[in-house]
Amino acid sequence: MEYLLIFILKLLENTFATLRLILVANGKKVIGALLMFLMTITWSISLSYIVIDFNGDYLKIIIFALGAAVGSFIGSIIEEKIGLGTILITFNTDYKNYQLFNNIFDNYQKEIIKFGENNYKFEIICKRKLKHNVIKAIKNNNKNINIIVEKINNF
């Protein structure tokens, strides 16, 4: 039972830590501070189970480390679902697909730059949580297209 408690506490701590890092990087300082508070409590409790009654039980350390790894993974998944931030998606297309993509992304903030006779560069700004929808729409119409995704920092 003690092993399970160590694992769950460390999992929670690292989930909070991963989310906190991303939230603070996106300007969510108050939520980041709250997560730091929760993180510190769970870390203190989980570590006390190892330090106070260690007695050479190295399995506790393994469970602690495993909880950290799984917590980091879960935190990354949660953060990806939340999808904070804004991104710029860029791709090039020819005139044949220009109108199609222009219609598909009609409701998005976009910039279209013509270069050469038959080439267009699309720059689409969207919320990060919409990234997969935009990329899927592009790939459904041209599987071989190269796409660049960049994070936009709002200063």
Side-chain angles (χ1 to χ4, degrees), residues 51-73:
V51 174
I52 292 172
D53 191 28
F54 179 62
N55 295 329
D57 190 354
Y58 291 99
L59 184 56
K60 288 182 180 179
I61 295 172
I62 301 297
I63 297 295
F64 188 81
L66 187 60
V70 173
S72 180
F73 181 73

Side-chain angles (χ1 to χ4, degrees), residues 69-109:
V70 173
S72 180
F73 181 73
I74 290 173
S76 298
I77 291 171
I78 292 170
E79 191 282 324
E80 190 175 309
K81 297 286 184 206
I82 294 170
L84 292 175
T86 306
I87 58 170
L88 173 68
I89 298 175
T90 305
F91 64 95
N92 295 336
T93 190
D94 58 14
Y95 182 75
K96 183 177 124 188
N97 290 308
Y98 158 78
Q99 198 62 41
L100 172 70
F101 285 125
N102 196 28
N103 290 336
I104 290 172
F105 299 115
D106 191 42
N107 294 324
Y108 287 84
Q109 182 179 346

